Amino acid sequence: MTVFTPLDTFSSEPIGPRVYREIRDAIVCLRLKPGQIISEADVARQFGASRQPVHDAFVRLQASGLLHVLPQRGTRVARISPKDVRDAQVIRRAIEAATVARACERRRPESLAALKANVARQEASAGEREPRAFLKLDEEFHRLLAACADLEMAWTIIEDAKSHMDRVRYLSLPQTTPVATLVRQHKAIVAGIAAGDASAALAALTEHFGEIDKSLPALEAEYPELFEHDEARAEPMVVR
Amino acid sequence: MTVFTPLDTFSSEPIGPRVYREIRDAIVCLRLKPGQIISEADVARQFGASRQPVHDAFVRLQASGLLHVLPQRGTRVARISPKDVRDAQVIRRAIEAATVARACERRRPESLAALKANVARQEASAGEREPRAFLKLDEEFHRLLAACADLEMAWTIIEDAKSHMDRVRYLSLPQTTPVATLVRQHKAIVAGIAAGDASAALAALTEHFGEIDKSLPALEAEYPELFEHDEARAEPMVVR
DNA sequence: GGAAAACGACTGACATGTTAGATGGCTAGA
DNA sequence: TCTAGCCATCTAACATGTCAGTCGTTTTCC
């Protein structure tokens, strides 16, 4: 099974960042299964790189809570923790609410234009079969929101919180909320900001969240091995 | 000049975490000056450790924005960025407001007891000459707040945001707000939570913040070399 | 003198070697 | 059958080696 896209030999970009991005993407998109055991040496071999850049990536991913490193024993992809997902949601909602409120105050024409252009591309992607295009645009949308509020630090944090939520999202891709609904909510947020109407934008934002809560219990029941349960610490799931 | 407290040779704790903690503490407490150039090898020598654990620490500290690693050139302690400080404040306020609101709902007797005990110790430390004792208790207070809201993830993020604010705080220790005032505000927050009165707790929290804003310009004028100025501005977020 | 090439002393990026600790399987002894 | 001890084999932690890139200085050549 190919989990990682191989490193471009001719790129001048250092190996470290590329390895980090690859591993992170593999985790968030569930190509690496929650609970799966991986090892630095093994991953390094798959990339054809040395252990060092992989080790660095592991250090960072552990800090984000996407990996659990057990000293001297091994490393496992963090299982999806329902509590972490819900916590991440609360935090993201708090930060994004502050972001939207600030965006209403300091919106600039070019930021608004960028947001509108992004939403337009979302509409274009709504019809397509491939949902990943939309998810990338969604990511971009929330990044632009932070830029519009001149609160770049917010995006850094949202990115981390989002990673936990996104795994659930990928898991629920089949029965997920129709993309059209999400695009409509995005539109409403932008409209609120454009009008400088904070309460309208916040209302749209609030509606935008809270989709995951409903799907979470069903997914947990369907894929129990991917979730962290209170008693957890069951047998490691060896996948190769 | 001793910047790092030497590693306890007899501790069984691995050196990696200890080195990380030491370096981070040295940055936040300004024993390492903002703008100062440091190197992995040099720091490793000071600890009497190898470069590896220091390198790992650098990786993590760069992710928090406390270090700027310039590939192949060197590493500098991040200068205090007024924008980062203000952004961190906005974010912290947003998260902590959500935390307090949640704490009002799910407070449990033992959490409240822990908060009250902490505040009591704060009062005891208010008279002392050494302000660091209070700052540690303050840190603990906000961690307990997150625990009380059963939102541990919030503390992780606040910790990072706080680090940027705390450097300013240490810089302004001489003319800082009297500790008694801060303790009073903490007390008000706890009282609000204890009563389940979210709006009262939030009001106390709001008053609690916004001390830094006033001192920031004066400090920037007094120690320009420690601050990042606009011409040296970190890369603005690219809007595509 | 002045520009440019060469050098050397640094840096972190990357590679690899070494070690302590955790684990699981095996066997010896009851 | 069970248990205690040994051992092979994992792991990440830690140590060290090598390298390419950056930069300030010196040297070279006109």
Side-chain angles (χ1 to χ4, degrees):
Chain A
M1 185 176 60
T2 83
V3 170
F4 306 111
T5 65
L7 299 179
D8 176 3
T9 322
F10 300 108
S11 167
S12 68
E13 191 189 3
I15 307 180
R18 282 186 283 163
V19 166
Y20 169 75
R21 225 182 307 125
E22 272 303 317
I23 301 178
R24 186 180 192 281
D25 192 66
I27 296 173
V28 172
C29 301
L30 301 178
R31 293 196 303 280
L32 285 172
K33 297 274 171 282
Q36 180 174 348
I37 299 283
I38 58 180
S39 90
E40 294 181 0
D42 185 42
V43 172
R45 225 171 296 125
Q46 293 184 49
F47 277 120
S50 79
R51 284 145 38 207
Q52 181 67 47
V54 175
H55 172 80
D56 287 3
F58 276 30
V59 168
R60 294 176 60 186
L61 290 165
Q62 174 172 46
S64 315
L66 290 176
L67 285 182
H68 290 161
V69 177
L70 313 164
Q72 258 66 37
R73 287 202 282 150
T75 301
R76 82 164 68 231
V77 178
R79 291 181 205 279
I80 300 174
S81 153
K83 168 151 171 48
D84 277 2
V85 173
R86 276 186 275 261
D87 283 8
Q89 241 183 305
V90 171
I91 283 159
R92 192 179 162 193
R93 183 181 284 131
I95 294 184
E96 209 131 20
T99 303
V100 165
R102 240 169 90 110
C104 286
E105 296 168 13
R106 24 188 104 194
R107 73 209 126 95
R108 285 172 306 125
E110 58 271 33
S111 317
L112 273 176
L115 277 171
K116 283 176 179 165
N118 173 279
V119 173
R121 283 198 288 160
Q122 285 179 33
E123 281 188 301
S125 86
E128 299 193 17
R129 206 171 323 274
E130 181 52 65
R132 291 214 37 174
F134 172 76
L135 289 173
K136 288 288 173 206
L137 286 169
D138 177 67
E139 183 125 334
E140 179 75 2
F141 177 80
H142 291 279
R143 199 177 64 83
L144 288 171
L145 222 49
C148 187
D150 190 28
L151 198 68
E152 286 75 14
M153 197 183 279
W155 171 240
T156 311
I157 297 164
I158 291 172
E159 212 175 3
D160 262 16
K162 217 166 113 54
S163 64
H164 292 275
M165 297 164 58
D166 279 348
R167 293 202 296 174
V168 177
R169 223 167 166 192
Y170 274 98
L171 208 54
S172 67
L173 265 189
Q175 67 271 27
T176 199
T177 307
V179 169
T181 306
L182 298 172
V183 174
R184 191 177 47 68
Q185 293 169 343
H186 283 165
K187 254 187 175 163
I189 295 172
V190 175
I193 294 174
D197 183 350
S199 66
L202 283 173
L205 183 74
T206 302
E207 187 198 339
H208 187 49
F209 287 112
E211 308 275 354
I212 289 181
D213 297 283
K214 301 160 213 159
S215 55
L216 202 50
L219 290 168
E220 197 176 349
E222 189 172 1
Y223 308 99
E225 76 281 6
L226 302 184
F227 285 79
E228 184 170 276
H229 302 104
D230 292 340
E231 5 68 43
R233 293 304 85 90
E235 80 297 333
M237 160 182 159
V238 183
V239 179
R240 205 165 262 273
Chain B
M1 185 177 59
T2 82
V3 170
F4 305 111
T5 66
L7 299 179
D8 177 2
T9 322
F10 301 107
S11 167
S12 68
E13 191 190 4
I15 44 190
R18 284 187 283 163
V19 165
Y20 168 76
R21 224 183 308 124
E22 272 303 319
I23 301 178
R24 186 180 193 282
D25 192 67
I27 295 173
V28 172
C29 300
L30 301 177
R31 294 197 303 281
L32 285 172
K33 296 274 171 282
Q36 181 175 347
I37 299 284
I38 58 180
S39 89
E40 294 181 1
D42 184 44
V43 172
R45 225 171 293 126
Q46 292 185 51
F47 277 120
S50 79
R51 285 147 36 209
Q52 182 67 47
V54 176
H55 173 79
D56 287 3
F58 276 31
V59 167
R60 293 177 59 186
L61 290 165
Q62 174 172 46
S64 313
L66 290 177
L67 286 182
H68 290 161
V69 177
L70 312 163
Q72 259 65 38
R73 288 203 282 153
T75 300
R76 79 166 63 234
V77 178
R79 292 181 203 279
I80 299 173
S81 153
K83 167 147 172 49
D84 278 2
V85 173
R86 277 186 275 260
D87 284 9
Q89 242 182 305
V90 171
I91 283 160
R92 192 181 161 191
R93 182 179 285 131
I95 294 184
E96 210 131 21
T99 303
V100 165
R102 241 169 91 109
C104 286
E105 297 168 13
R106 22 187 105 193
R107 72 209 128 93
R108 284 171 308 124
E110 57 269 35
S111 318
L112 272 176
L115 277 171
K116 282 176 179 165
N118 173 279
V119 173
R121 285 197 289 160
Q122 286 180 32
E123 279 186 303
S125 86
E128 297 191 18
R129 205 170 325 275
E130 182 51 64
R132 291 215 37 175
F134 171 75
L135 290 173
K136 288 288 173 206
L137 286 169
D138 176 68
E139 185 125 332
E140 179 75 3
F141 176 81
H142 290 280
R143 200 177 62 80
L144 288 171
L145 223 48
C148 189
D150 189 29
L151 198 68
E152 285 75 15
M153 195 184 280
W155 172 240
T156 310
I157 296 164
I158 291 172
E159 213 175 1
D160 261 16
K162 217 165 112 55
S163 65
H164 292 276
M165 297 163 58
D166 278 347
R167 295 203 294 175
V168 177
R169 222 165 166 193
Y170 274 98
L171 208 55
S172 68
L173 265 189
Q175 65 271 25
T176 199
T177 308
V179 169
T181 305
L182 298 173
V183 175
R184 190 176 48 69
Q185 293 170 344
H186 283 165
K187 255 188 174 161
I189 294 172
V190 175
I193 294 174
D197 182 349
S199 66
L202 283 172
L205 183 74
T206 302
E207 187 197 338
H208 188 50
F209 286 114
E211 307 273 355
I212 289 180
D213 297 283
K214 301 159 211 157
S215 55
L216 202 51
L219 290 169
E220 196 176 349
E222 190 173 0
Y223 309 98
E225 75 281 8
L226 302 184
F227 284 79
E228 183 172 277
H229 301 101
D230 290 339
E231 65 274 8
R233 163 66 88 238
E235 76 296 341
M237 189 176 268
V238 183
V239 178
R240 273 183 305 189

